[in-house]
Amino acid sequence: MARDVHLPPGRTSALSRPGWFLTVTALLSLTGLAISIYMTLAHYNRAIALICTESSTIDCASVTSSEYSELFGIPLPLLGLSFFVGIGALTVPAAWRSESPVVRWARLGGVIIGVLFVVYLVSAELLVLGKICLWCTAVHVITVALFGLVVLDEYRRAGQTS
């Protein structure tokens, strides 16, 4: 990490992050966005089939067409798309550099809501449907990874303000 000249040795600004951090969060957000676009298109256009290995447990078609594939009438792929557009905007380098508490709280709140959805959806897949969707699982893993990175960043910032 780059060290700011006005800080004591060994301390870095809460705003500086390693390059890998910015790259990883951007790639995760973009990958989640791409998968969500694909799943949204497949939801609205039945001519687009979800490419997914099928077995007794892995069955994307069953999961994405189940009663759990919508929330209050809104297709989950569309909610995922909205999530990744929002979290993508909150994880671009300019947003990471922002000192605005609104941006930080929106980013943290967004990933918390995202991970709560993951818990709900994985529970529905495994406990109720008894099937999983590999595309959904990819989105879940990305969401949990983003959650971990955002929480890690908040923890790091808290340690630097002491």
Side-chain angles (χ1 to χ4, degrees), residues 1 4 12-18 22 93 95-100 104 153 156-157 160:
M1 264 191 261
D4 292 337
T12 59
S13 165
L15 301 179
S16 64
R17 288 166 188 84
L22 300 177
W96 281 115
R97 286 190 299 271
S98 173
E99 293 186 46
S100 169
R104 285 180 58 204
D153 183 67
R156 180 192 61 80
R157 287 176 68 108
Q160 290 186 354

Side-chain angles (χ1 to χ4, degrees), residues 53-98:
T53 305
E54 287 192 29
S55 70
S56 60
T57 305
I58 299 171
D59 187 350
C60 293
S62 292
V63 172
T64 59
S65 62
S66 75
E67 63 184 280
Y68 296 94
S69 66
E70 292 187 357
L71 185 65
F72 304 116
I74 303 169
L76 288 179
L78 193 57
L79 290 176
L81 180 64
S82 300
F83 170 77
F84 283 108
V85 165
I87 208 67
L90 293 166
T91 57
V92 295
W96 281 115
R97 286 190 299 271
S98 173

Side-chain angles (χ1 to χ4, degrees), residues 18-31 145-146 149:
W20 68 264
F21 185 90
L22 300 177
T23 302
V24 169
T25 56
L27 286 175
L28 286 169
S29 296
L30 285 173
T31 303
L146 284 167
L149 289 168

Side-chain angles (χ1 to χ4, degrees), residues 98-109 150 153-154 157-158:
S98 173
E99 293 186 46
S100 169
V102 172
V103 172
R104 285 180 58 204
W105 283 109
R107 185 172 39 239
L108 183 60
V150 169
D153 183 67
E154 286 300 320
R157 287 176 68 108

